[in-house]
Amino acid sequence: RTLLSYATKTTTMPKGSGNNSQGNHYNTPGGTNSSSGSSYHYSNTNGSYYYSNDNGSTYYNSGQGSSTYTSPSGHTTQSDGGSSKK
């Protein structure tokens, strides 16, 4: 499985929405339930998507059944369709 690399919290994302050089769509502010701050959301051309939220949490969904959530404290939970790994 190949995971895409994403901008980190230290990256300043442009305000608004658009497509990056790889053709992936971004929205900022665009984290969960956020209309301000430094959150952003990527919808990728391969069907995956990624949220980075103001509280430091992140969520990645492969678009093929697996996902990874990282809490603000750094705890990671992975799901591979029907099962969850901590």
Side-chain angles (χ1 to χ4, degrees), residues 14-79:
K15 294 289 183 189
S17 65
N19 293 316
N20 67 10
S21 60
Q22 290 83 37
N24 300 319
H25 182 76
Y26 66 86
N27 249 346
T28 182
T32 306
N33 299 320
S34 178
S35 61
S36 64
S38 62
S39 62
Y40 60 91
H41 168 227
Y42 264 102
S43 297
N44 300 305
T45 56
N46 66 359
S48 67
Y49 54 95
Y50 180 81
Y51 287 90
S52 177
N53 298 302
D54 288 336
N55 67 0
S57 67
T58 60
Y59 178 78
Y60 169 77
N61 187 297
S62 70
Q64 299 177 4
S66 64
S67 62
T68 303
Y69 170 76
T70 304
S71 71
S73 66
H75 178 79
T76 300
T77 301
Q78 294 180 323
S79 175

